[in-house]
């Protein structure tokens, strides 16, 4: 399977007309990634709350970008998400991730979704390094 970027990623893809188009900041030195986003009401679950799948997608995306600080192309092998508090729509939230370790082709990453420093959700991901 060939992995390629057609800029249609739901979270970061600039060409996806219904996507978030969220720029992801990467720090190779600290093996981390982050983004800030305000989720529109169209992506809510219960009234006023971001849908859990959207939360997982945001955490997955920053985990992938953090993973790409140690390998050119990674895909998600496993994503364990913990929902701690409701994530409100229409407020600026921040997703951050950092590489914890790499074991062969598996990059272990931890992530958090925060609002004004308060942790609303967290994730642990196993990103799989794809051959070039």
């Amino acid at each position: 399977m060939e992995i390629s970027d057609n800029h249609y990623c739901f979270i970061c893809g600039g060409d996806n007309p219904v996507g978030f188009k969220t720029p992801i900041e990467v720090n190779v030195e600290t093996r981390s990634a982050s983004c800030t986003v305000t989720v529109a009401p169209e992506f809510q679950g219960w009234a006023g709350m971001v849908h859990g799948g959207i939360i997982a997608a945001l955490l997955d995306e920053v985990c992938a970008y953090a993973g790409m600080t140690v390998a050119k192309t990674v895909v998600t092998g496993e994503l364990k998400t913990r929902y701690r508090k409701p994530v409100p729509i229409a407020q600026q939230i921040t997703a951050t991730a950092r590489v914890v370790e790499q074991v062969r082709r598996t990059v272990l990453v931890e992530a958090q979704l925060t609002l004004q420093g308060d942790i609303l959700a967290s994730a642990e991901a196993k990103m799989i390094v794809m051959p070039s």
Side-chain angles (χ1 to χ4, degrees), residues 71 73-75 102-107 126-131:
T73 306
V74 298
V75 295
Q102 181 177 3
V103 179
R104 293 183 207 90
R105 290 185 49 221
T106 303
V107 181
K126 291 181 182 176
M127 308 307 293
I128 308 303
V129 176
M130 299 301 291

Side-chain angles (χ1 to χ4, degrees), residues 65-122:
Y65 272 82
M68 288 186 287
T69 65
V70 298
K72 182 180 176 185
T73 306
V74 298
V75 295
T76 307
E78 182 178 307
L79 181 69
K80 179 181 174 184
T81 305
R82 181 171 180 205
Y83 301 93
R84 297 168 182 256
K85 297 179 181 179
V87 177
I89 59 166
Q91 291 193 37
Q92 191 173 61
I93 54 177
T94 301
T96 58
R98 68 177 181 82
V99 172
V100 176
E101 70 177 314
Q102 181 177 3
V103 179
R104 293 183 207 90
R105 290 185 49 221
T106 303
V107 181
L108 304 174
V109 182
E110 292 179 347
Q112 294 182 333
L113 189 69
T114 60
L115 172 64
Q116 299 175 349
D118 194 19
I119 300 171
L120 306 179
S122 59

Side-chain angles (χ1 to χ4, degrees), residues 39-55 83 85-90:
V39 180
E42 293 82 4
F43 302 103
Q44 69 182 331
W46 293 109
M49 296 169 25
V50 177
H51 189 282
I54 299 298
I55 294 166
Y83 301 93
K85 297 179 181 179
V87 177
I89 59 166

Side-chain angles (χ1 to χ4, degrees), residues 16-38:
N16 188 328
V18 297
F20 284 18
K21 298 176 180 62
T22 302
I24 311 289
E25 295 180 24
V26 174
N27 186 321
V28 176
E29 202 172 281
T30 61
R31 302 187 320 170
S32 63
S34 65
C35 68
T36 302
V37 64
T38 301

